[in-house]
Amino acid sequence: MGRDEDCAVYAFDGATMFHLAVPQMVFDEVARQGLAGWKTVLFSDQEGEVTTAEGYRLGEVRGPEAAEAADVVVVPSWFNDGRVPGDSLRQVLQDAHGRGVTIMGLCLGAIPVADAGLLAGRRAVTHWQAFDSLAVRHPDIALDQSVLYIDHGDVLTSAGTASALDACLHVVRSRLGADAANKVARSLVIAPHRDGGQAQYIERPVPQRTADDPVSSLLEWALARLGEPLTIDRLAAQAHLSRRTFVRAFRAATGTTPAAWIRARRLDAARRLLETTDLSVEQIADDCGFGNAVTLRQNFAAAFSTAPTEYRRRFDMRSG
């Protein structure tokens, strides 16, 4: 059994049932699986009830004092207009953070966390629709659109909607280990994304393909050939674009360079093989296009701060 944790989830009029339910669903599953005595409670600016976006009325919502005994305080979402939070919530977040409590701003919930001053000078992520407004409001925050969530240890933020599941599962993994997180993920039938708060553990999806977008079809083509040499010239030729035009179009579509994207996808493939097979590191390096084990190990260590063999030991999906 892991240590007990009390998680306080902020509720407000207009919050969606999904956003409120995600941290409760993941964290309460820890207790249901007998992994630790985790408990969640809803709190708001004052004790009473809140009305969700769907029109449901939730009673017995605690007041701000509920956060005083919490080990984790979660702001699961926020108003779509991005309004500035009231003094009560800002004070709750600041006081909790000062006590060493973990603060989570999920989806638009990163906005009040930022307004409480807990993200100054740090990387953060939120729903893509709020990126521009949050960047203007807090130019000292380095917003990162390439990740699902970012964990600083004391403060965690996540991207839009469903990524809150990944972020909460990450917290389970951080506190109780990989086996516990995998059990929770299997029970809830969700993917065990593991340490995905770090950019290197995030799989960037292929952009939606359109008929006039040569880059999207190229990405699908490249993903099927990661073990082959994939130079910029070869990729540009496959996309039927000049090298310069291709590089510009690729960055516009993916937010990164062709070399960085290919390297990240090869690392994604290597992780999957480490998790699901008993192939040697040398074979995985060859299959994923790194050429040799030394190059794989160097890239893996640079991206994940661990060795392939250690990653396999921690995250082997065939055990448990």
Side-chain angles (χ1 to χ4, degrees):
M1 285 281 290
R3 75 172 192 176
D4 294 349
E5 299 268 1
D6 290 321
C7 308
V9 181
Y10 182 73
F12 56 93
D13 287 330
T16 70
M17 291 292 291
F18 178 86
H19 287 111
L20 289 172
V22 165
Q24 297 180 86
M25 179 176 64
V26 175
F27 296 153
D28 287 348
E29 190 64 23
V30 170
R32 287 190 289 267
Q33 291 293 318
L35 301 169
W38 287 24
K39 296 182 296 183
T40 59
V41 62
L42 293 178
F43 78 97
S44 193
D45 297 321
Q46 58 187 17
E47 184 176 352
E49 66 178 31
V50 299
T51 302
T52 70
E54 297 81 4
Y56 298 113
R57 297 169 69 179
L58 303 179
E60 300 185 12
V61 175
R62 302 272 300 277
E65 71 281 354
E68 295 177 2
D71 302 287
V72 179
V73 173
V74 184
V75 184
S77 62
W78 194 237
F79 299 93
N80 289 335
D81 61 10
R83 67 189 66 175
V84 175
D87 292 340
S88 175
L89 178 57
R90 287 204 306 273
Q91 194 66 55
V92 164
L93 296 175
Q94 290 166 353
D95 290 349
H97 184 258
R99 294 192 303 272
V101 172
T102 298
I103 307 298
M104 300 179 66
L106 306 178
C107 194
L108 293 179
I111 294 174
V113 174
D115 286 343
L118 305 185
L119 293 171
R122 292 174 147 185
R123 291 174 61 243
V125 63
T126 187
H127 194 289
W128 63 268
Q129 290 179 321
F131 261 71
D132 291 344
S133 60
L134 190 59
V136 171
R137 193 142 121 196
H138 294 284
D140 58 335
I141 298 176
L143 294 173
D144 189 343
Q145 299 189 58
S146 68
V147 297
L148 294 182
Y149 53 93
I150 296 172
D151 185 10
H152 293 287
D154 57 332
V155 180
L156 181 152
T157 54
S158 77
T161 315
S163 59
L165 287 164
D166 304 281
C168 290
L169 193 61
H170 165 73
V171 171
V172 175
R173 180 175 298 277
S174 299
R175 283 162 163 72
L176 300 177
D179 288 344
N182 287 341
K183 287 179 182 178
V184 170
R186 283 197 298 268
S187 179
L188 298 178
V189 197
I190 58 178
H193 274 283
R194 307 180 181 88
D195 301 344
Q198 303 173 39
Q200 62 267 22
Y201 278 25
I202 296 301
E203 296 185 16
R204 189 179 184 91
V206 174
Q208 185 175 358
R209 182 175 179 178
T210 60
D212 59 349
D213 179 10
V215 174
S216 291
S217 57
L218 170 77
L219 298 184
E220 297 175 2
W221 177 89
L223 285 172
R225 294 166 175 81
L226 292 176
E228 303 175 12
L230 294 173
T231 64
I232 291 180
D233 287 337
R234 186 183 180 193
L235 295 172
Q238 179 64 29
H240 304 293
L241 297 172
S242 70
R243 181 188 176 100
R244 178 177 295 182
T245 300
F246 168 71
V247 171
R248 185 169 59 249
F250 194 96
R251 182 176 285 279
T254 67
T256 189
T257 65
W261 189 88
I262 292 295
R263 181 170 59 251
R265 300 293 71 75
R266 283 172 168 162
L267 286 168
D268 287 339
R271 287 191 299 115
R272 285 192 292 270
L273 292 176
L274 288 166
E275 293 169 5
T276 60
T277 76
D278 59 1
L279 291 174
S280 68
V281 173
E282 289 75 12
Q283 184 62 56
I284 291 174
D286 186 63
D287 290 349
C288 296
F290 287 102
N292 58 70
V294 172
T295 302
L296 171 58
R297 291 190 182 99
Q298 290 173 342
N299 281 272
F300 208 91
F304 306 137
S305 298
T306 191
T309 51
E310 174 62 18
Y311 181 91
R312 169 175 273 166
R313 186 187 68 78
R314 292 180 60 198
F315 299 135
D316 193 338
M317 287 291 290
R318 296 166 298 161
S319 61

